[in-house]
Amino acid sequence: MTLTRDDFASWLDRYIEAWRSGAADEIGDLFSEDVTYSQTGGQSVIEGRDAVVRDWLEASYEPELDWEAAYEPLAIEGQICVGVGSTRYYREEGREDFSNVFVCRFDDEGRCSELREWWMRAPSPVERLVD
């Protein structure tokens, strides 16, 4: 299955929705049964849909934490898609911004079978002024 830009944009939107809802079925629907999910350049690797769902549900984010995210497709080549975006968390001590890059491989059913995610803390507006 070759994904279109709209297909991948929809998947990225569902990724955000699943992260926000914390619903196991929404998380699981994103990924193939044998998915490999690596973060920060492979420093953390999770194998299998059940393990990814468990990892998301065990994430240490406070349920009342306000956050927003926006991701968009950057490139698509057959079943491999690259997305970029940003995530912003609002904490008592201030705002925290991250830049995100996703490299995803999809199976024939449109589920992600491999996800490599890089996230980098973005400098705060004050840090940018100081530099």
Side-chain angles (χ1 to χ4, degrees):
M1 169 184 192
T2 300
L3 273 74
T4 67
R5 184 175 185 82
D6 287 343
D7 293 333
F8 186 44
S10 175
W11 187 89
L12 289 167
D13 289 343
R14 290 187 305 121
Y15 180 98
I16 293 169
E17 291 169 19
W19 187 248
R20 184 171 302 285
S21 76
D25 59 334
E26 289 182 30
I27 300 164
D29 284 346
L30 295 168
F31 302 103
S32 67
E33 189 173 325
D34 61 346
V35 65
T36 300
Y37 188 141
S38 63
Q39 298 178 359
T40 60
Q43 293 175 358
S44 168
V45 178
I46 305 164
E47 295 185 8
R49 179 189 304 147
D50 291 341
V52 170
V53 170
R54 195 169 37 256
D55 182 73
W56 279 34
L57 295 176
E58 292 172 356
S60 61
Y61 297 107
E62 309 91 78
E64 68 280 355
L65 179 67
D66 285 333
W67 61 273
E68 58 190 8
Y71 309 135
E72 63 184 3
L74 178 66
I76 298 173
E77 180 66 35
Q79 293 176 295
I80 300 173
C81 302
V82 179
V84 295
S86 61
T87 308
R88 177 173 290 165
Y89 295 95
Y90 299 94
R91 305 180 190 283
E92 283 185 24
E93 58 275 6
R95 190 178 91 195
E96 193 171 19
D97 294 329
F98 292 87
S99 296
N100 307 85
V101 176
F102 300 94
V103 178
C104 304
R105 179 184 303 273
F106 288 86
D107 65 14
D108 291 333
E109 296 175 10
R111 290 192 170 153
C112 185
S113 59
E114 181 181 359
L115 190 153
R116 296 179 190 178
E117 176 185 3
W118 288 266
W119 48 267
M120 291 93 8
R121 185 175 174 276
S124 73
V126 172
E127 290 171 327
R128 285 187 210 121
L129 290 174
V130 173
D131 288 341

